[in-house]
Amino acid sequence: MDSTQKLPLDMVYHWEATNADSLYMTQPIGNGQVVEYTWGRAIDEARRMAAYLKSLNLPEKSRIGLISKNCAHWVMTDWAIWLAGHISVPLYPTLNADTVNYILGHAECDVLFVGKLDDWDMMKPGVPDSVRCISYPLSPPNDFETWDDIVAKYPPLEGKPQREPGELATIVYTSGSTGRPKGVMLSFENMAFAAVGGTKTLGVGPNERMLSYLPLAHVFERTFVELGSLYAGFELYFAESLDTFVADLQRAEPTLFLSVPRLWVKFQHGVLQKLPKKKLERLLKVPLLNKVIKKKVLKGLGLSKVKLAGSGSAPLSHDVLDWYRNLGLELLEGYGMSENFAYSHMNKPGRTRTGYVGEALPGVETKISEIGEILVKSPATMMGYYKDEEKTAEAFTEDGFLRTGDKGEIDEMGRLKLTGRIKEIFKTSKGKYIAPAPIENSLMSHDAIEMVCVSGANQTQPHALVVLSEEIRPKSADAAFRAEIEQSFTKLIEDVNKTVDPHEQLAFITVVSDEWSIENSFLTPTLKLKRNVVEDAYQAKVDGWYAQKQKVIWQ
């Protein structure tokens, strides 16, 4: 079947007609138990929920909210909202009450699906009493109408409701590292173009398996996992919790695996705790042991069947990339934004270049502006920001290219390198400009570092704030261990300073004792650093650190 002209609902009808009895989704429900959804069952439940939504007589194209961690019901809800003629509005499952309230109000949601959540009590005050809530089987305790009761009561919606290609399908509120989130409007055509281009470029088909665990409210997971499975027809597995993550991975035995830099680093640190880096490198040099060790490490991570591994949402350090590639896992970095449904650039097997996010995907035009900003254009580019014509106008050039806000350069093979954010660049007291991202990438090569923020606006030289990796943090109270870290970090500063221009050389590293997390707003829901929050938290101490004139400072 030619999927190029098919919109998401057309693909739903296709699998319903041709593959109803095949397994589509496997949902863990606790105690090692799972519920399996065939294509037929998933679409039947979505049709029943759509019939219920129709019965509410909501205005045409109403916005319907959805707040849940990833689960089978998330996917079925998206379909049900579309089948009923409405627009889905996903919310991150980690938002605070204020942001929940803002999004539900801004999108004017009358209905909200409440799913699997870790901290519903924190979010609940943000949901107005006027919003009708529907509860999933894995939801926290509540007195809402339940999914199971509704699908038992309503017969399935009949026929094949059609939506227009240019019609608004979903509003994705950006995780936003600053200010209020913006509502990115994506049409059915935007979503279809990205899903078709992505699955074709990766060469994926119905025999793949994926574990869905990065937030489905984010476009990265939505494009390549939800829409990818819908267009290629492969199986989806869900993670139960962080504690069961390795078991969930081993159950799924994914052939495709996507993650974000912070998690790739965590996986690596987990391996190196059991098998130190030098010992691993030594073992990998022994011809007879090489394959056995690689297989054992990847099997321990649950990644032994992976043929395609991807990383996105932020740059990954060269050392981490090379470490995985040395294990036989070719990690392919990609690049995209909410504003183009994560469809922009991707490395291709055999054509990767360390430090580059790859070539433009089919149908994507790229150019670099006079100030070095990456500009992109494709049929996956958003319709605009919901209720914000001014910001929409600012987001595009006169000839219709999307302003990414990222700086970059393109090599002779058309591969794109990100060199920093236009707004992140800061000026030292000497009047020199510094892009922090490349320096941060170099620092992230150190095994002991989990997160880093390079800063230093209006200072003579930049400095780095680092958070130690989870396994190492408890040891940092020990004086001998601290001395070892200080020596290692002093050497790291020397090594990094040799690779940068004089005005970019680091004055010192401050090891911070605080945790940077989503919960305390230091990270976005996709684990990106909120640079302004981090810098504000330590601003009062910075001058004192410079005055100490030490290479490593403990905060």
Side-chain angles (χ1 to χ4, degrees):
M1 184 193 82
D2 177 21
S3 61
T4 51
Q5 304 307 311
K6 304 287 181 184
L7 299 178
L9 283 180
D10 297 323
M11 297 308 298
V12 168
Y13 306 143
H14 167 73
W15 300 118
E16 182 180 44
T18 62
N19 234 24
D21 296 331
S22 296
L23 178 63
Y24 174 41
M25 296 187 285
T26 298
Q27 174 64 55
I29 54 169
N31 301 321
Q33 303 291 303
V34 298
V35 175
E36 294 185 335
Y37 291 84
T38 59
W39 283 99
R41 177 179 174 180
I43 296 163
D44 176 71
E45 291 200 16
R47 283 183 174 278
R48 289 169 185 272
M49 185 52 71
Y52 165 79
L53 292 174
K54 283 274 201 189
S55 77
L56 299 178
N57 293 317
L58 299 168
E60 199 180 330
K61 298 181 186 174
S62 283
R63 277 75 53 211
I64 294 180
L66 157 54
I67 189 163
S68 173
K69 291 168 83 171
N70 298 13
C71 60
H73 291 85
W74 203 111
V75 174
M76 294 187 282
T77 299
D78 219 11
W79 298 350
I81 291 168
W82 293 338
L83 284 162
H86 301 306
I87 295 153
S88 61
V89 181
L91 286 82
Y92 283 99
T94 48
L95 297 177
N96 60 34
D98 177 54
T99 309
V100 168
N101 187 263
Y102 172 77
I103 293 173
L104 293 177
H106 189 262
E108 298 172 71
C109 293
D110 296 317
V111 177
L112 176 67
F113 285 84
V114 177
K116 194 179 164 189
L117 296 164
D118 290 335
D119 205 347
W120 171 236
D121 288 341
M122 175 191 74
M123 301 170 180
K124 195 163 47 176
V127 181
D129 293 339
S130 59
V131 173
R132 177 191 291 264
C133 293
I134 299 156
S135 169
Y136 290 168
L138 293 170
S139 302
N142 60 64
D143 52 6
F144 307 142
E145 294 173 277
T146 70
W147 178 282
D148 287 347
D149 285 352
I150 290 168
V151 298
K153 184 177 171 186
Y154 283 80
L157 185 72
E158 292 182 2
K160 294 183 178 178
Q162 295 299 315
R163 304 295 293 267
E164 292 300 314
E167 202 181 322
L168 179 57
T170 191
I171 304 172
V172 175
Y173 280 83
T174 58
S175 56
S177 48
T178 54
R180 286 291 192 189
K182 300 189 289 284
V184 174
M185 298 191 289
L186 295 160
S187 68
F188 289 101
E189 191 174 34
N190 292 152
M191 298 179 101
F193 188 84
V196 171
T199 49
K200 281 192 170 175
T201 302
L202 294 171
V204 300
N207 298 323
E208 315 299 350
R209 295 183 303 279
M210 281 196 92
L211 180 73
S212 176
Y213 68 100
L214 296 171
L216 272 164
H218 188 259
V219 290
F220 187 45
E221 188 84 350
R222 196 113 173 260
T223 306
F224 294 100
V225 181
E226 183 198 7
L227 271 289
S229 68
L230 188 55
Y231 277 78
F234 56 71
E235 288 177 33
L236 280 191
Y237 292 77
F238 294 92
E240 184 183 337
S241 68
L242 269 178
D243 296 336
T244 65
F245 189 75
V246 174
D248 295 325
L249 253 181
Q250 287 166 342
R251 178 195 296 116
E253 291 192 307
T255 59
L256 308 172
F257 187 72
L258 298 179
S259 199
V260 291
R262 181 144 177 248
L263 292 175
W264 285 118
V265 170
K266 275 181 108 64
F267 292 161
Q268 182 199 31
H269 286 168
V271 171
L272 297 177
Q273 281 296 105
K274 295 172 187 166
L275 194 58
K277 197 171 187 176
K278 283 180 181 163
K279 187 178 179 184
L280 178 61
E281 284 169 1
R282 200 165 60 243
L283 291 171
L284 288 174
K285 283 175 184 163
V286 181
L288 292 171
L289 284 178
N290 182 291
K291 280 188 178 172
V292 179
I293 295 292
K294 285 179 179 179
K295 203 169 180 182
K296 193 175 178 185
V297 172
L298 291 176
K299 194 172 176 60
L301 289 169
L303 303 177
S304 59
K305 299 285 173 68
V306 170
K307 61 180 192 187
L308 242 158
S311 182
S313 104
L316 194 56
S317 92
H318 303 178
D319 289 60
V320 176
L321 273 172
D322 292 341
W323 186 84
Y324 279 104
R325 286 174 184 164
N326 205 22
L327 286 175
L329 195 68
E330 188 175 26
L331 257 185
L332 301 175
E333 283 196 280
Y335 168 65
M337 305 166 64
S338 302
E339 287 82 351
N340 53 31
F341 203 46
Y343 188 81
S344 181
H345 289 70
M346 193 189 294
N347 271 301
K348 294 176 184 171
R351 291 172 64 87
T352 60
R353 180 176 174 187
T354 303
Y356 285 71
V357 292
E359 300 161 62
L361 285 160
V364 175
E365 293 177 64
T366 315
K367 60 184 186 180
I368 307 293
S369 78
E370 288 174 8
I371 59 163
E373 184 177 14
I374 301 162
L375 306 174
V376 292
K377 184 199 245 185
S378 84
T381 305
M382 67 170 179
M383 302 163 74
Y385 294 119
Y386 190 56
K387 294 183 181 173
D388 201 333
E389 288 180 15
E390 191 180 326
K391 280 205 168 67
T392 299
E394 286 170 13
F396 291 96
T397 61
E398 282 181 18
D399 54 352
F401 278 78
L402 178 69
R403 300 181 195 273
T404 64
D406 289 309
K407 283 175 76 79
E409 51 195 51
I410 298 170
D411 76 1
E412 69 290 345
M413 283 175 66
R415 294 171 298 200
L416 177 68
K417 180 179 188 176
L418 305 182
T419 57
R421 290 281 298 163
I422 294 234
K423 288 178 184 168
E424 281 178 0
I425 291 170
F426 60 86
K427 198 196 274 188
T428 65
S429 59
K430 297 172 182 172
K432 297 279 191 178
Y433 286 97
I434 292 174
I439 306 170
E440 288 166 354
N441 269 350
S442 299
L443 292 167
M444 280 299 291
S445 64
H446 196 288
D447 298 346
I449 295 176
E450 188 167 298
M451 284 180 278
V452 61
C453 177
V454 167
S455 188
N458 304 316
Q459 300 289 349
T460 51
Q461 296 293 136
H463 66 275
L465 298 161
V466 307
V467 173
L468 296 177
S469 65
E470 207 172 327
E471 302 79 16
I472 285 174
R473 259 173 257 163
K475 302 177 191 172
S476 61
D478 178 73
F481 184 77
R482 277 198 178 203
E484 202 179 305
I485 286 280
E486 283 183 25
Q487 193 178 350
S488 176
F489 281 2
T490 302
K491 173 81 166 60
L492 177 65
I493 291 171
E494 281 173 21
D495 291 345
V496 170
N497 284 352
K498 285 174 192 167
T499 66
V500 297
D501 289 335
H503 69 278
E504 297 174 311
Q505 290 177 354
L506 293 167
F508 58 86
I509 286 175
T510 296
V511 182
V512 301
S513 55
D514 313 309
E515 195 171 325
W516 297 351
S517 65
I518 297 168
E519 290 71 31
N520 64 14
S521 293
F522 276 61
L523 303 179
T524 71
T526 51
L527 303 175
K528 282 185 194 164
L529 203 66
K530 288 190 178 178
R531 196 173 292 277
N532 59 322
V533 174
V534 173
E535 289 177 342
D536 288 350
Y538 304 103
Q539 192 55 50
K541 299 176 181 175
V542 171
D543 287 340
W545 292 340
Y546 277 94
Q548 286 183 42
K549 299 198 181 313
Q550 290 176 339
K551 287 294 179 193
V552 181
I553 294 164
W554 296 83
Q555 182 266 329

